Amino acid sequence: MTSFALNGWNTDRRQKINFLWGIHGQLVGSQALQWQTDQALAVVVQRIATEFQGYARGVHDEAVEVFIVNVAAGNSAVESILRERMTTDRALDRGNAHSDAVKRDFARMGLVFWPAMIQADRQAIQWEKELLKIIEMRNAVAHDDSAKLARLGNDGYFLDIKTLQNWHKMLDDLTTCMDNVIGLYISVLLGIQQPW
């Protein structure tokens, strides 16, 4: 079983990303100019970052609700207080879903996020860095920052099909691992059956 957020990542969110990949593919196979296909890739990277942020916020919402319901034990006043404390001014609500934002928001429930992820899958060492690069690329194209794009290129990150496909695959692995780690953490913390 998976969280509703992961189910959404694997269905609706994937469909939106794949739709944009399809538009890019149509441009590549046509008489489109290079700048047009580059613009399509810029939209793809922005959508990938957007959909990951939606997933991360969604799974945080689900985890918070499980935490609140179990800790408050039916006391609606306690539920309201906990919900406010755990979601007000979340990094995922006011900025990009970079690695530090995800870490800070899940720390609200005591989860030491990246070490837990690394313990579950050693690839998470790389995922933390790659997530930062996705957001840097997203911001570079969103703000038309050619200097930042050049710096990313110097680090081996290009606005190209290979890089974006690798990131898309990496986010598939990251979201699956996140779902497992968060569900297990809540289960152990609260002494309950795994919530999803």
Side-chain angles (χ1 to χ4, degrees), residues 66-91:
V66 171
F67 182 89
I68 289 169
V69 166
N70 282 276
V71 171
N75 184 324
S76 60
V78 172
E79 284 184 15
S80 294
I81 292 166
L82 288 173
R83 189 172 292 109
E84 180 185 346
R85 298 280 187 232
M86 297 191 78
T87 60
T88 299
D89 200 33
R90 266 190 310 199

Side-chain angles (χ1 to χ4, degrees), residues 134-150:
I134 291 169
I135 299 305
E136 286 180 20
M137 182 73 74
R138 178 255 172 231
N139 289 342
V141 299
H143 302 291
D144 195 25
D145 189 336
S146 56
K148 187 177 279 186
L149 285 171

Side-chain angles (χ1 to χ4, degrees), residues 5-24:
L6 184 59
N7 185 52
W9 173 263
N10 288 325
T11 56
D12 298 340
R13 295 186 186 284
R14 179 180 312 283
Q15 193 173 22
K16 291 173 187 174
I17 295 167
N18 287 343
F19 173 75
L20 294 173
W21 275 119
I23 290 173
H24 177 266

Side-chain angles (χ1 to χ4, degrees), residues 114-128 177:
W114 286 109
M117 290 287 288
I118 292 165
Q119 185 176 8
D121 191 324
R122 299 291 297 164
Q123 291 182 85
I125 295 168
Q126 189 65 22
W127 295 342
E128 183 177 7
C177 187

